[in-house]
Amino acid sequence: MTRSEENYLKAIYHLSDTFDGGISTNAIAEKMKTKASSVTDMIKKLSEKELVNYRRYKGVELTERGKLVAASIIRKHRLWEVFLVDKLNFTWDEVHDVAEQLEHIKSEKLINQLDEFLGFPKRDPHGDPIPDKDGNMSDHADVLLVTLNKNDKGIIVGVKDSSSSFLKYLDKQGIALGKKIKVIDKEPFDNSMKIRIKKEEFTISQQIANNIYMKK
């Protein structure tokens, strides 16, 4: 498989979390930042390899084989992120682009031994679950911070937005995985929140609260 084919499979896999049923070529094009015509050409290639099913007006779905291949790519990406943060002292906002390159390494033995070397981690540095070698991934049974109400408490377990700018913002505010948060107040008008981490209190916007996963 080419790197481009792998990137498309990964994109479709991620989009399947937010789409009920088939995924439109326009949605894939937006995700991949390309033209719909380019997506159509790629879908034909992936369909010939029995990695996706495409039905007119129904959209694109991964086959079982396609899901396994996509999960394998995501597994490699997230294991490399753990390695970069835990062993090479990268920060969590630096690892995504590097892992994007490393995820295309083909050696299954290398990835299995990397998994063992890291102690079989369940989540990456952003809190996302890591698929096992059979493609199984634990469910995100977590809730978004924005859904919590006044006086609710929870522990940060992940982020929905893993962009460098968002992660740098969280670092500035001292917001990180494992931190305990208490909602001091919530503004009904715009869902902005006053929160407490340890003894520090500050206000965050709805946009921020909508990108932080919590375990209550």
Side-chain angles (χ1 to χ4, degrees):
M1 290 187 64
T2 66
R3 176 174 295 203
S4 180
E5 288 170 338
E6 291 186 344
N7 286 336
Y8 268 88
L9 286 179
K10 188 174 65 167
I12 296 167
Y13 188 99
H14 287 311
L15 286 169
S16 65
D17 289 337
T18 54
F19 280 79
D20 186 17
I23 302 162
S24 70
T25 53
N26 286 334
I28 299 170
E30 184 178 352
K31 179 79 171 176
M32 296 296 296
K33 296 181 174 60
T34 189
K35 297 180 293 185
S37 58
S38 299
V39 174
T40 301
D41 291 340
M42 178 58 72
I43 294 306
K44 289 178 182 177
K45 294 178 182 178
L46 296 175
S47 182
E48 289 171 359
K49 294 185 176 183
E50 300 182 345
L51 295 166
V52 302
N53 288 321
Y54 173 74
R55 290 181 294 168
R56 197 173 184 184
Y57 307 122
K58 296 285 186 179
V60 179
E61 292 182 314
L62 293 173
T63 63
E64 288 304 312
R65 179 167 174 258
K67 290 177 184 177
L68 188 61
V69 174
S72 172
I73 300 163
I74 292 166
R75 176 181 180 233
K76 287 186 283 186
H77 181 104
R78 293 178 178 172
L79 284 173
W80 282 121
E81 288 192 333
V82 174
F83 175 77
L84 291 168
V85 169
D86 288 0
K87 305 301 179 182
L88 298 185
N89 299 318
F90 278 66
T91 58
W92 68 343
D93 61 282
E94 295 177 319
V95 295
H96 180 75
D97 289 343
V98 181
E100 284 277 311
Q101 301 172 57
L102 293 170
E103 71 185 24
H104 298 290
I105 293 173
K106 304 299 183 185
S107 173
E108 186 175 342
K109 179 179 180 181
L110 171 63
I111 300 306
N112 287 337
Q113 293 193 193
L114 177 64
D115 195 9
E116 182 179 358
F117 173 70
L118 295 171
F120 304 104
K122 300 299 182 185
R123 291 179 183 257
D124 72 9
H126 310 114
D128 292 317
I130 299 174
D132 64 19
K133 62 182 180 180
D134 297 316
N136 301 311
M137 192 183 317
S138 60
D139 293 331
H140 241 316
D142 315 314
V143 298
L144 289 168
L145 175 55
V146 74
T147 65
L148 270 58
N149 296 308
K150 184 177 179 179
N151 295 321
D152 284 347
K153 298 177 181 178
I155 298 174
I156 302 173
V157 293
V159 292
K160 187 163 68 170
D161 180 353
S162 58
S163 66
S164 177
S165 58
F166 181 64
L167 298 177
K168 285 179 179 177
Y169 168 84
L170 296 184
D171 283 339
K172 286 181 181 178
Q173 300 298 328
I175 300 173
L177 301 189
K179 294 278 189 177
K180 296 179 181 179
I181 285 182
K182 180 177 181 180
V183 179
I184 305 302
D185 201 7
K186 188 173 184 179
E187 177 56 55
F189 173 69
D190 61 359
N191 280 330
S192 61
M193 289 178 164
K194 186 176 184 180
I195 63 172
R196 178 189 295 152
I197 297 179
K198 293 186 176 180
K199 295 181 179 181
E200 186 176 354
E201 296 182 4
F202 51 91
T203 300
I204 60 173
S205 67
Q206 179 181 1
Q207 183 181 359
I208 298 300
N210 198 44
N211 279 288
I212 299 174
Y213 285 113
M214 305 290 297
K215 188 174 289 295
K216 295 178 68 176

